[in-house]
Amino acid sequence: MPSAAEVTELLAPHLLGDPRDAGARIDVLSLDVEEEERSFTAMFELLAEGERWRVRVPSGDKWELAVFNGRPDPDLVLDVANVLRIRLLEWWHTKDTAKRSAETGTRLN
């Protein structure tokens, strides 16, 4: 079973850098995965529109935990990375209007 650090290494190539969202310039600087009992949280540090942020993106569905099972299929890893990227972009676009989104991000500068 991969550790959180190993899952971070699997997901990082798909998440670091610019996710190419037309509505925002977001550059993911670092990723750290924290495993909980029946879920995990992706911790991102990013630069967005000239601001540094730390953002916690929780996993949402049980199928995402399969990334911790044995040697996860590369398609599964890509699917989980895509879901996390979408949640990160949703956070960016709703952080000023949705309390739940605002609570998951901390501006560092």
Side-chain angles (χ1 to χ4, degrees):
M1 182 158 144
S3 67
E6 291 168 326
V7 169
T8 298
E9 288 179 27
L10 289 171
L11 293 172
H14 304 289
L15 291 166
L16 295 178
D18 181 2
R20 295 176 198 90
D21 176 41
R25 171 76 174 128
I26 296 175
D27 189 23
V28 177
L29 305 173
S30 68
L31 168 68
D32 187 34
V33 173
E34 297 177 355
E35 184 182 11
E36 287 108 33
E37 278 186 38
R38 295 191 173 131
S39 66
F40 67 92
T41 300
M43 298 285 296
F44 292 94
E45 189 167 320
L46 53 97
L47 184 62
E49 305 297 324
E51 302 171 347
R52 283 183 80 94
W53 290 85
R54 182 170 296 122
V55 183
R56 297 176 63 83
V57 177
S59 60
D61 295 314
K62 291 180 182 178
W63 70 267
E64 295 169 37
L65 278 175
V67 77
F68 284 91
N69 293 338
R71 297 182 102 126
D73 183 272
D75 288 337
L76 172 70
V77 173
L78 183 58
D79 289 345
V80 171
N82 286 334
V83 167
L84 291 172
R85 182 180 305 107
I86 289 167
R87 289 189 191 129
L88 181 61
L89 293 170
E90 286 175 344
W91 165 82
W92 176 255
H93 292 293
T94 61
K95 68 180 176 12
D96 295 326
T97 57
K99 183 179 179 181
R100 186 174 183 193
S101 289
E103 292 172 345
T104 62
T106 304
R107 188 173 170 185
L108 301 175
N109 69 346

